[in-house]
Amino acid sequence: MRRAYFKNNWVAALVVAPQLLIIFIFFYWPTSQALYWAFTLEQPFGGGSEWVGFENFQYLLSDGRYWDSVRISTIYALATTALAMGMALTLALFADRQLRGYKGFRVGLIWPYAVAAPAIGLAFRFIFNPSAGVASYLNQAFPDIWNPVMNGDHALTMVIIAGAWKQVSYSFIFFLAGLQSIPRSLVEASAMDGARVMRRMWDIQLPLLTPTVFFLIIINITDSFTDSFGIVDTMTSGGPARGTNLMVYKIYEDGFRGLDYSGAAAQSIILMVLVVALTLFQFKYVERRVHYS
Amino acid sequence: MKLSLVSTSVLALLALSGAAVSQTADKIKFDYWYGLSGQLGDVVAATCDRFNESQSTYEITCVGQDGYANAVQNTIAAFRAGQHPTVVQAYDAGTADLMMSGEFYPVSKMMADFNIDIDWDNFFPGISNYYASSTGELFSMPFNSSTPMMYYNIADLEAAGISTPPATWEDFEAALVAIKATGKECAFGYEPSTWIDMEQFSMAHGIPIATNNNGYDGLDSEYVYNTTLHVKHMENIKRWYDDKLLEIRSTQGGLNARDSFAQNECSLYFGSIARHAAVGLLVDGKFEWDVAMIPVYEGTARQNTVVGGASLWVLSGKSEDEYRGAAEYLKFLMTEESERYWVSNTGYIPVTKTGFAALNAENFYANPPYKGRELALKSLTYTDPGPLTRGIRLGGFIQARSEWTNEVQAALQGDKTMQEALDTAVMRSNDVLNKFARTYRGKQLP
Amino acid sequence: MIERTPVLNIVTHAILFFGLAILVIPIYLVVVAASHTLPDVMAIPAKLLPGDQLVVNLQAAWTEAEFATKFSNTLILATGVVVGKIVLAALTAFGIVFFNHRLRMPIFWMVFITLMLPLEVRIVPTYAVAANALSPFQAILDWTGISWLVQRTTGIEVALNWNLLNSYTGLIMPLVATATGTFLYRQFFLTIPDELVEAAKMDGAGPLRFLRDILIPLSATNMAALATIMFVVGWNQYLWPLLIITDPAYGVAAVELSRLVPNMNTTGGDVPNWHWAMAGTLIVMLPPVVIVIAMQRWFVRGLINTEK
């Protein structure tokens, strides 16, 4: 691919320097510091530290509580992804028909993206509050059927619903764009062949959307690691009985509440590796098949 | 000469904006971070204002950190950056971490250095022991000291045929049954609390929480509360939960135990005496209530309970002027007037013997809204503190408390038996202790 | 799309409406809660229709949470993130696309890796250096002996210190340190026809002039797209400010919102002020939602192009 270039490579150095400098100071160097903390026992007030090698990692990987946290994060990630994408896909398929009010629906389905995680957390915490929110109706009819305060599963359900709500818009935008990039001619041709709406959805639109689907799965899963903090912190603080102790939340709780910086650093390293692996996987196997014009 | 990149530019800016420096530059300023929030936090802020108004040499800036855990966490963040306050209100659970860091100025030493005369023996031993070194020197200044009490609704108890508040847990259970029999939905609003259910319970019964006299004697301690009477107590709690003799009322659910009590929904609840004022304000005379000491099991020789609340620590790395200011502030808090202000507006109890004596002399505790608070002192001074009832000096205690709470929640949900839960909590808490000891390898508890 | 049968249309509208409802109902309930007095909000069963206290509660929430300061802080934060990202993205993409040097690929990868790790996943590492962000340079100077040299020759002790607590830079920089916009710009710059570049060279324009006079104007839409997304991201920051802001004067909106309702970690036992908390939720939600709706075309486009 021939490209026209400028010759002055010093200018190139100059322009990329700021970004490189910033990511060195705020990305790479901190990571090395975290590695240092992860291999030692760091005192909270910074007075010193004790080298322990891989022990922090060994402890984590053999700790049932850590694996609980991994399990909960996985359930959360998969559930929110499935819920959000399922709803988004359905809505996109029908919005794509571009009937009257299309613009209105589109706007209406996009704006939730802008709502901050703690705001969503608070709103849903209130709604699902067993004694004050709308869910209280349920408890009135069937006493004690809904109790996210004491029941870890209920709490997790509540958090998942909040998380899925947050992620619908994102997937909707991509699905809609994906659908709109399918050449109309294809769809019209099949319509002329006598295929009805559902048939077209099943045979043409969905298969052509598969790359988007894979792409969104990975994005939703990785996003579920980050957005979830605001939601969990405002809704359940990781409880009850650690029922909503997502990995990101556990890092925060162990490190900043429990003052165990080394344990939190080790968990961070593991989480970072996990997220990088997921993203690399997405890039290698999925990106290649995505073609937008 | 030190050259600091950022500070030189700041100095330059300041020089340029010299005109903007106001006349308060004459006052020596220092910072104080406190953890109390809500009504109690407001009163703390008021003590700061009172200090500033009472003199013109120093100016204290008080910043509420919205929670003890936040206060400690933020202090550490600030400390690592050299931006910490001079005084911080740190709670009991953070004591060991602060102590082991060594990054504080013991108040006994500080007051001596500035020639401020404080009668250290004037503090109630049950209070000062928590914050003192093994040789009796106070590290931090006792400030807001509280102890748990049983809050009870007089009318509800009488309707159930009970004229005096239950003094034993056996009587307590009978009371619950009787109250429920009168048709009251919620006899006991309960929120699992390490402080009340485990720590103070063990103190009152004279049973250990951990080896080494609850950690005072060394860093190699181990928890033992899963082998003591505490287990039976928690099993009872679980049984009462299952039998609907108590209802869980937690902050997470919105209406916590205190508010459930204050709104006349639940007849009994256990809480810190510190809440006494707030409860009074919330109840607002709508029903008659009072406090009593927490029950003990039959056949137990009651021991003293220990303080909860927090104390004021002076951190290292500040200037002498700031320390002088801090010393003045602490001295100010110790005056009779300040103590009176503090105990009138909150439920906390006076920390000095003379303070208490003075208040008693004027029958402060004879009438509502202060009546009943003297029982807290009775609970604290029931016996002289023994080796097991001095307090708790265990590292990583915040995590240990969290372990207990989470395990108890799981047991209450029915996921496991209470014994299993407490066993798990102990095991994991011992890991925390282990890690703590190794993080500070070679150091001793002061 | 092709058929216009009434049944199909009704079904479509129904489904879309249902979806919209699911998204909107929680917010409706928030509005309801924000428009009642506290006893009404706590009443069982919950009220489903709005009351009349909305303005009162909004005002109360605004003062209680000191949103005035927080909003201006959050605005600074969001704007800082927007400007930082755009400037860095444009410059770096420019340097990668329009020059041909050996380090192009390594630089590309170094920048790309940062895409994978958003700040929430990096809080502990970033926190580790928050006390002194210049510590790497201090370490380098110490290790290479330069600081020793400086001290010996001039008597000045070099102590580089830049702490991130309670500062706007501290809030903004770690967020800017990922490559979100860089690939958007790279994508876009790759579509610039070679002829333009050739023409500029022939006119004697240097690379910087080319950047300023041609590329930047052309990338206006991309800029708008990126700005919208980054504004929302900056505005909604929660975890990082929670950790490094200890001075309320520097607080941000999202963190302050969570303070309106106590949870397990607060001490002092306040009654949860649900009505204010819900009002606060509405207040905090408003600016980014307005921006997204107003700029939705750019926003959608930016989202799609950012993920390439």
Side-chain angles (χ1 to χ4, degrees):
Chain A
M1 195 171 63
R2 186 185 65 86
R3 286 215 55 89
Y5 299 116
F6 284 99
K7 288 291 190 290
N8 194 341
N9 283 348
W10 285 113
V11 176
L14 202 66
V15 287
V16 299
Q19 173 132 60
L20 288 182
L21 196 67
I22 289 184
I23 62 178
F24 172 66
I25 298 179
F26 293 99
F27 189 91
Y28 289 106
W29 175 255
T31 312
S32 71
Q33 279 291 69
L35 272 171
Y36 178 71
W37 278 12
F39 286 109
T40 61
L41 283 178
E42 172 80 8
Q43 294 180 17
F45 276 88
S49 53
E50 173 95 5
W51 183 266
V52 291
F54 277 99
E55 213 184 277
N56 287 326
F57 291 100
Q58 276 172 336
Y59 180 78
L60 274 180
L61 293 174
S62 59
D63 183 10
R65 199 60 72 69
Y66 183 68
W67 289 108
D68 273 345
S69 168
V70 174
R71 181 179 52 91
I72 291 174
S73 301
T74 314
I75 295 178
Y76 175 81
L78 293 177
T80 48
T81 305
L83 278 174
M85 282 177 61
M87 190 166 142
L89 182 57
T90 317
L91 290 173
L93 280 171
F94 282 97
D96 185 43
R97 303 196 67 228
Q98 300 204 5
L99 298 182
R100 246 176 27 168
Y102 165 72
K103 285 265 160 65
F105 279 118
R106 213 179 73 140
V107 168
L109 295 171
I110 287 182
W111 64 264
Y113 177 84
V115 183
I120 297 177
L122 267 186
F124 279 89
R125 178 173 164 199
F126 174 72
I127 292 172
F128 285 119
N129 191 314
S131 46
V134 173
S136 59
Y137 279 108
L138 206 58
N139 273 345
Q140 265 215 319
F142 308 97
D144 274 346
I145 192 180
W146 172 253
N147 191 359
V149 174
M150 284 304 291
N151 186 321
D153 292 333
H154 293 175
L156 188 56
T157 310
M158 185 170 74
V159 168
I160 286 175
I161 294 180
W165 187 94
K166 189 176 200 310
Q167 289 179 235
V168 171
S169 304
Y170 191 86
S171 302
F172 173 74
I173 292 174
F174 277 87
F175 278 132
L176 197 57
L179 282 172
Q180 284 167 352
S181 71
I182 296 176
R184 285 280 186 246
S185 44
L186 252 180
V187 186
E188 274 160 20
S190 81
M192 282 198 285
D193 280 347
R196 291 179 330 143
V197 178
M198 294 309 290
R199 200 70 205 287
R200 290 203 306 273
M201 277 188 190
W202 195 253
D203 286 342
I204 302 189
Q205 293 180 306
L206 281 182
L208 283 176
L209 271 185
T210 338
T212 317
V213 170
F214 280 129
F215 161 77
L216 280 176
I217 288 181
I218 302 288
I219 293 291
N220 271 311
I221 291 184
T222 42
D223 273 358
S224 75
F225 284 115
T226 55
D227 282 342
S228 53
F229 182 84
I231 294 179
V232 172
D233 196 39
T234 45
M235 283 184 110
T236 61
S237 300
R242 299 230 165 80
T244 54
N245 207 15
L246 300 180
M247 285 167 82
V248 173
Y249 200 77
K250 188 176 197 308
I251 289 176
Y252 170 76
E253 206 187 88
D254 287 352
F256 299 96
R257 300 233 157 244
L259 303 183
D260 175 15
Y261 288 144
S262 297
Q267 291 178 51
S268 291
I269 302 287
I270 297 181
L271 183 61
M272 291 191 335
V273 167
L274 182 65
V275 173
V276 168
L278 268 174
T279 323
L280 279 178
F281 174 78
Q282 181 249 317
F283 219 68
K284 274 199 77 175
Y285 292 105
V286 177
E287 272 291 295
R288 275 195 268 155
R289 295 151 66 180
V290 172
H291 298 292
Y292 289 114
S293 53
Chain B
M1 179 180 88
K2 248 188 178 216
L3 176 71
S4 170
L5 260 187
V6 177
S7 56
T8 33
S9 44
V10 171
L11 275 175
L13 274 172
L14 277 180
L16 286 174
S17 61
V21 176
S22 67
Q23 70 266 38
T24 57
D26 296 328
K27 286 198 183 173
I28 298 173
K29 297 185 160 192
F30 63 101
D31 290 327
Y32 164 38
W33 289 4
Y34 60 89
L36 287 173
S37 57
Q39 184 251 346
L40 297 171
D42 291 339
V43 185
V44 175
T47 66
C48 296
D49 292 336
R50 284 163 46 92
F51 175 71
N52 284 335
E53 282 159 23
S54 74
Q55 46 78 43
S56 56
T57 329
Y58 305 99
E59 186 178 323
I60 192 173
T61 313
C62 299
V63 182
Q65 298 293 325
D66 208 42
Y68 286 137
N70 282 337
V72 171
Q73 173 190 319
N74 287 341
T75 305
I76 290 179
F79 189 84
R80 297 180 79 97
Q83 301 232 320
H84 50 287
T86 313
V87 183
V88 67
Q89 182 192 37
Y91 60 156
D92 43 8
T95 306
D97 288 283
L98 256 174
M99 260 190 212
M100 291 310 295
S101 73
E103 298 290 352
F104 59 92
Y105 194 173
V107 292
S108 47
K109 184 164 181 305
M110 180 173 84
M111 295 312 222
D113 286 345
F114 289 120
N115 290 324
I116 299 181
D117 213 3
I118 303 260
D119 182 7
W120 301 106
D121 293 325
N122 197 5
F123 289 110
F124 285 104
I127 296 178
S128 56
N129 260 305
Y130 207 113
Y131 308 114
S133 73
S134 43
T135 53
E137 271 184 72
L138 273 182
F139 290 136
S140 58
M141 195 68 134
F143 174 53
N144 49 319
S145 296
S146 61
T147 213
M149 307 298 293
M150 179 173 71
Y151 288 71
Y152 62 95
N153 186 323
I154 298 181
D156 286 350
L157 276 187
E158 278 182 6
I162 303 171
S163 50
T164 53
T168 64
W169 285 108
E170 287 80 357
D171 284 344
F172 184 81
E173 182 167 348
L176 291 183
V177 174
I179 294 176
K180 293 277 316 198
T182 66
K184 184 111 182 179
E185 266 273 347
C186 172
F188 172 22
Y190 172 70
E191 182 166 7
S193 154
T194 344
W195 185 58
I196 299 177
D197 298 323
M198 195 264 278
E199 297 165 42
Q200 299 289 2
F201 175 86
S202 303
M203 295 293 156
H205 288 79
I207 56 183
I209 296 172
T211 56
N212 279 338
N213 286 325
N214 292 340
Y216 270 81
D217 295 341
L219 282 177
D220 57 344
S221 320
E222 281 194 0
Y223 287 96
V224 296
Y225 61 74
N226 61 329
T227 59
T228 64
L229 188 56
H230 175 64
V231 181
K232 173 172 160 202
H233 181 61
M234 293 314 295
E235 282 171 351
N236 280 340
I237 299 242
K238 168 84 167 93
R239 190 165 48 83
W240 297 340
Y241 176 62
D242 288 337
D243 294 345
K244 300 228 181 288
L245 289 174
L246 65 75
E247 278 189 16
I248 308 271
R249 295 297 176 113
S250 66
T251 320
Q252 195 63 33
L255 205 61
N256 62 15
R258 180 199 74 172
D259 293 331
S260 306
F261 177 78
Q263 292 189 15
N264 208 354
E265 276 197 25
C266 298
S267 314
L268 292 154
Y269 103 97
F270 285 80
S272 164
I273 189 66
R275 307 271 176 262
H276 197 268
V279 173
L281 288 171
L282 285 171
V283 171
D284 205 14
K286 289 194 269 272
F287 60 87
E288 295 233 351
W289 60 283
D290 206 343
V291 292
M293 293 198 291
I294 56 177
V296 289
Y297 280 95
E298 255 163 44
T300 321
R302 180 190 284 271
Q303 307 280 318
N304 61 306
T305 53
V306 296
V307 286
S311 59
L312 301 182
W313 291 78
V314 180
L315 299 174
S316 60
K318 307 303 277 186
S319 70
E320 175 150 342
D321 279 339
E322 286 166 308
Y323 284 138
R324 224 177 266 281
E328 289 298 323
Y329 177 66
L330 293 180
K331 176 171 157 213
F332 174 78
L333 286 178
M334 285 299 118
T335 59
E336 215 180 278
E337 218 190 294
S338 289
E339 243 187 312
R340 173 191 305 274
Y341 182 81
W342 181 247
V343 304
S344 316
N345 287 300
T346 67
Y348 287 108
I349 41 171
V351 297
T352 58
K353 298 183 201 155
T354 49
F356 182 58
L359 289 168
N360 252 346
E362 43 170 88
N363 287 326
F364 183 80
Y365 290 111
N367 295 308
Y370 309 118
K371 178 168 171 311
R373 296 186 196 173
E374 73 283 5
L375 289 173
L377 266 170
K378 185 167 170 208
S379 182
L380 273 171
T381 56
Y382 205 81
T383 58
D384 274 338
L388 281 179
T389 56
R390 268 182 291 180
I392 297 174
R393 199 152 289 181
L394 296 162
F397 199 58
I398 304 171
Q399 274 180 305
R401 277 185 171 170
S402 168
E403 293 294 338
W404 182 96
T405 313
N406 279 293
E407 287 303 317
V408 165
Q409 278 174 336
L412 286 173
Q413 269 189 55
D415 290 344
K416 48 177 95 167
T417 69
M418 197 50 88
Q419 179 72 59
E420 279 170 359
L422 292 175
D423 286 339
T424 316
V426 162
M427 186 185 73
R428 299 189 59 91
S429 303
N430 283 339
D431 282 341
V432 172
L433 278 179
N434 216 320
K435 217 177 201 182
F436 186 80
R438 292 175 54 214
T439 310
Y440 294 103
R441 188 197 291 281
K443 291 198 183 173
Q444 293 278 20
L445 271 176
Chain C
M1 177 171 55
I2 299 185
E3 302 98 335
R4 296 267 164 192
T5 63
V7 171
L8 205 47
N9 288 359
I10 293 179
V11 167
T12 308
H13 274 130
I15 291 187
L16 286 176
F17 202 73
F18 184 64
L20 194 62
I22 293 187
L23 288 183
V24 170
I25 284 182
I27 305 299
Y28 169 73
L29 290 171
V30 169
V31 172
V32 167
S35 58
H36 283 290
T37 56
L38 187 57
D40 277 347
V41 167
M42 306 285 281
I44 301 174
K47 300 216 183 309
L48 291 181
L49 292 173
D52 55 356
Q53 301 284 315
L54 187 57
V55 180
V56 172
N57 286 339
L58 284 174
Q59 282 174 334
W62 181 266
T63 26
E64 182 75 16
E66 288 170 23
F67 271 133
T69 338
K70 315 298 185 221
F71 263 49
S72 83
N73 289 335
T74 320
L75 193 61
I76 296 178
L77 165 59
T79 315
V81 171
V82 165
V83 169
K85 285 264 188 191
I86 290 183
V87 167
L88 284 188
L91 285 180
T92 315
F94 175 63
I96 295 179
V97 170
F98 288 101
F99 297 84
N100 190 12
H101 50 88
R102 276 174 325 205
L103 288 180
R104 232 167 45 140
M105 270 300 126
I107 291 180
F108 174 84
W109 281 107
M110 272 183 62
V111 171
F112 177 67
I113 291 179
T114 68
L115 252 192
M116 299 194 235
L117 296 176
L119 186 53
E120 279 84 355
V121 175
R122 299 174 358 237
I123 44 160
V124 173
T126 319
Y127 180 79
V129 301
N132 184 2
L134 289 182
S135 53
F137 299 107
Q138 182 72 44
I140 293 175
L141 289 180
D142 287 340
W143 193 65
T144 54
I146 294 181
S147 47
W148 176 86
L149 199 64
V150 171
Q151 179 160 31
R152 283 301 294 265
T153 49
T154 58
I156 300 175
E157 188 184 324
V158 180
L160 298 174
N161 199 348
W162 183 21
N163 95 71
L164 300 176
L165 290 195
N166 294 321
S167 64
Y168 293 121
T169 31
L171 276 174
I172 295 173
M173 286 310 203
L175 281 171
V176 166
T178 58
T180 325
T182 310
F183 291 91
L184 175 67
Y185 270 91
R186 175 176 173 269
Q187 239 21 53
F188 170 67
F189 285 165
L190 284 176
T191 65
I192 302 283
D194 289 337
E195 292 75 30
L196 265 179
V197 182
E198 300 287 355
K201 280 159 76 169
M202 276 198 289
D203 281 349
L208 290 177
R209 287 240 357 239
F210 180 65
L211 175 69
R212 198 190 66 195
D213 294 339
I214 303 196
L215 288 183
I216 302 286
L218 277 181
S219 65
T221 359
N222 278 307
M223 227 187 277
L226 190 58
T228 320
I229 300 177
M230 285 295 112
F231 184 86
V232 172
V233 167
W235 186 272
N236 290 341
Q237 275 304 302
Y238 181 66
L239 178 51
W240 181 241
L242 189 62
L243 293 177
I244 64 158
I245 301 296
T246 55
D247 182 355
Y250 282 92
V252 300
V255 174
E256 200 55 38
L257 182 60
S258 67
R259 297 233 167 107
L260 285 172
V261 182
N263 61 16
M264 272 170 40
N265 292 318
T266 47
T267 329
D270 253 345
V271 182
N273 292 307
W274 286 115
H275 55 323
W276 289 348
M278 293 297 110
T281 308
L282 290 174
I283 296 177
V284 171
M285 252 174 56
L286 203 57
V289 169
V290 163
I291 297 240
V292 164
I293 292 184
M295 314 259 292
Q296 52 164 312
R297 229 183 48 214
W298 289 290
F299 164 67
V300 168
R301 180 209 184 120
L303 256 196
I304 297 187
N305 287 329
T306 314
E307 294 303 333
K308 304 321 223 57

